[in-house]
Amino acid sequence: MANLITDYVVVGGGLSGCVIASRLSQSGKDVILLEAGPDPKNNPAVQFFLSGLTLQGGEFDYTYPTEPVPTTADRVHHLSSGKGLGGGTVINYGGWLRGDAADYDEWAEVVGDKRWSYEGLKPWFVKSENFYDSGADPQEHGFDGPMHVTAVSAAEGGQRKYPLRETIKNSWAELDVPHNIDRKNGASGGLNEMHENCDRNGARQPSNVVYPLDNVKVFTDTPVYRIIFDDTKKATGVELVDGRKVSARKQVIISAGSYQTPKILMLSGIGPSADLAQHGIPLLHESPHVGENLHDHYAIHLAYRLRNPSLGYAFGSAGFQNPAFLKGLPWDWVANQSLPEEILAKNQHEAKPGWGKRNVYEVFDAYVVPGIPGIPIDGTHISTSTMLLLPTSRGKVTIRSNSPTDLPSVRPNYLSTQLDRDSLIQAVRTTIKVMTATESMKPIVVGESPPIKEGLEGLTPLTVDTSDEAILERLQLTGEQHQHSGGTAAMGKVVDGEGKVLGVNGLRIADASIIPVPLGGHPQATLYAMAEQLVSMILADS
């Protein structure tokens, strides 16, 4: 590839980048899409979610090492992030869960732009979806969009109903958690059925496949070094790591993700002046919030030993043989919960107004153990994920040097506020109660099985009577991110309400880095809607 020129250069071929490039090309625009990673089309493990479990930490995953995190026992976390055409949609688990309406309304309030409220985003949620239930509310769901979305129990002609589906539903009911069937008006609290984005054969739908790139000039294994600007601070193209250049007649759009986007901005001279000066990078525009405000969903996976594995309740057992069970990830319920008043009262200085009704944490069950050290995948255990949806801890991403080949420095600061610690302790205690101490589950589960690994010696099973201190220790020693990072080029601080980078011209950002506040749910449903709205703004400008 020699030096090239086009109308739009899109940097990053992940979820958002593929949507932006595809929609621009469908509107007759000349587009070049530059992706640092490879094209995954020839790897068969990409096709299905269960086989995709093997992709974590592989060639399609950056697995960024963090700096040691003092609040999680000085551990170095390895952060999964898609590296390849399709980005995170190639290595994720397919959950299609919007946040609560209140999450988007907070986003809109923070940036002063109602287009990012739930009502403002709703048309773009609808546009992106091809929803499984034709009887669903057409004001809430779409039926002609590119992303096929199904409820787990409706998949495979209704054959994918797992053996403990009703038992776990009843267990939550014992805790007075209602089944939220319709999620009316964007309300996601209570017990929801898991929705997935997979095609009618249970196969993965990567963004680069569902949003066609036939008319886009796509270059994989092509990392970008920095943005090129003219004397008026207008972005005119990009310089690649190998020194070649790609020019843009109209705009450069960065969709490189929450870790790479701030790195590219800083290497281009946009960021905190002190950080740039430290590495000898000329300042183009002082933007002190670049790399700040990193938020992520911190979570813990727990395993539960079954009393009678021969009953076929879990993946790996002889009785877990229904072919439909293996299409998609074996899970079915997700519970979104608020905090009790005593925790909010204790943390008044950190909790925000209205949090008594917000979904602060999520719990989902799975009939496979997701890589918990020492726990076999042999049908003897089921598992849960307990995840903090609205963390108040904030981290930072910055550059290690002025070299484009160095990975960014990431300081996630998990569990650095008392509210986050108290919230997850409450969430874990609730999870343990649902899975081990209800009348519904006690005949099924013996108890929780701690991970077994060097450095984790002495951990004891968690019970409903476990102390807060012991639960916190488990969170610090074994908790991890859920690959839902954002905020490092936040709207209202680094970009405006249309993704335009403040202080320069001709440059936009369109990825999770611009989302200013944590959102509940799993991010891909939101990111598709966000990208659809952003590309409509780009086209309106053109």
Side-chain angles (χ1 to χ4, degrees), residues 154-494:
E156 298 298 303
Q159 295 301 304
R160 203 169 138 219
K161 293 178 180 175
Y162 293 100
L164 292 177
R165 172 182 170 83
E166 292 303 314
T167 305
I168 291 175
K169 178 183 175 182
N170 292 337
S171 184
W172 281 104
E174 288 185 48
L175 271 61
D176 297 322
V177 176
H179 181 193
N180 184 351
I181 299 174
D182 298 320
R183 309 185 197 187
K184 289 290 186 183
N185 300 315
S188 62
L191 188 66
N192 298 269
E193 182 161 16
M194 185 66 71
H195 287 131
E196 298 172 327
N197 72 301
C198 55
D199 69 17
R200 298 183 190 281
N201 295 314
R204 183 187 293 278
Q205 294 182 292
S207 60
N208 59 300
V209 174
V210 178
Y211 282 80
L213 300 173
D214 300 345
N215 297 319
V216 177
K217 300 180 185 72
V218 178
F219 297 90
T220 54
D221 297 303
T222 307
V224 168
Y225 174 9
R226 59 188 172 187
I227 312 302
I228 301 169
F229 294 88
D230 64 17
D231 293 340
T232 68
K233 294 188 178 181
K234 181 183 185 300
T236 59
V238 301
E239 180 180 349
L240 305 181
V241 168
D242 63 13
R244 292 173 295 169
K245 295 179 174 63
V246 182
S247 298
R249 301 184 191 94
K250 294 187 176 181
Q251 286 186 27
V252 175
I253 301 155
I254 308 178
S255 297
S258 298
Y259 308 123
Q260 288 288 344
T261 287
K263 172 187 163 182
I264 291 172
L265 287 175
M266 285 187 266
L267 291 176
S268 306
I270 301 170
S273 55
D275 288 0
L276 302 189
Q278 179 183 352
H279 301 294
I281 299 172
L283 180 69
L284 177 74
H285 174 67
E286 170 76 24
S287 187
H289 298 284
V290 170
E292 301 287 340
N293 189 48
L294 173 65
H295 52 75
D296 206 346
H297 287 160
Y298 193 75
I300 185 170
H301 293 110
L302 301 172
Y304 310 89
R305 179 173 292 279
L306 296 166
R307 293 188 184 278
N308 189 350
S310 68
L311 295 176
Y313 291 143
F315 180 77
S317 68
F320 203 82
Q321 295 299 313
N322 183 340
F325 288 176
L326 308 181
K327 295 292 185 70
L329 205 67
W331 53 7
D332 45 25
W333 296 112
V334 55
N336 292 324
Q337 294 289 281
S338 58
L339 292 175
E341 183 57 40
E342 57 266 25
I343 291 180
L344 295 172
K346 176 184 173 184
N347 296 279
Q348 291 183 35
H349 60 294
E350 292 174 352
K352 298 177 183 178
W355 266 33
K357 297 181 179 179
R358 296 287 295 274
N359 297 325
V360 177
Y361 66 89
E362 156 195 297
V363 182
F364 71 72
D365 59 86
Y367 304 101
V368 64
V369 179
I372 300 175
I375 307 299
I377 304 177
D378 60 359
T380 60
H381 288 78
I382 58 176
S383 68
T384 56
S385 165
T386 302
M387 182 172 80
L388 183 60
L389 297 176
L390 302 181
T392 53
S393 302
R394 294 292 183 272
K396 180 178 180 178
V397 175
T398 190
I399 49 177
R400 299 180 185 275
S401 72
N402 59 11
S403 170
T405 58
D406 281 349
L407 291 176
S409 171
V410 184
R411 299 182 181 274
N413 293 336
Y414 302 129
L415 301 179
S416 59
T417 68
Q418 187 63 47
L419 178 56
D420 285 3
R421 294 190 289 271
D422 288 347
S423 297
L424 267 174
I425 290 169
Q426 167 69 20
V428 169
R429 194 177 297 284
T430 301
T431 306
I432 292 294
K433 187 173 184 179
V434 166
M435 298 301 292
T436 69
T438 57
E439 295 304 312
S440 298
M441 289 300 291
K442 282 190 289 187
I444 306 294
V445 166
V446 176
E448 191 262 340
S449 295
I452 302 171
K453 181 182 178 182
E454 184 178 353
L456 298 179
E457 296 86 359
L459 294 181
T460 57
L462 298 178
T463 72
V464 290
D465 298 318
T466 298
S467 68
D468 287 356
E469 292 76 15
I471 294 176
L472 177 59
E473 179 186 38
R474 181 77 76 85
L475 287 163
Q476 292 169 329
L477 291 174
T478 67
E480 56 191 0
Q481 62 126 210
H482 235 318
Q483 306 159 34
H484 298 169
S485 58
T488 52
M491 189 177 288
K493 300 290 187 180
V494 178

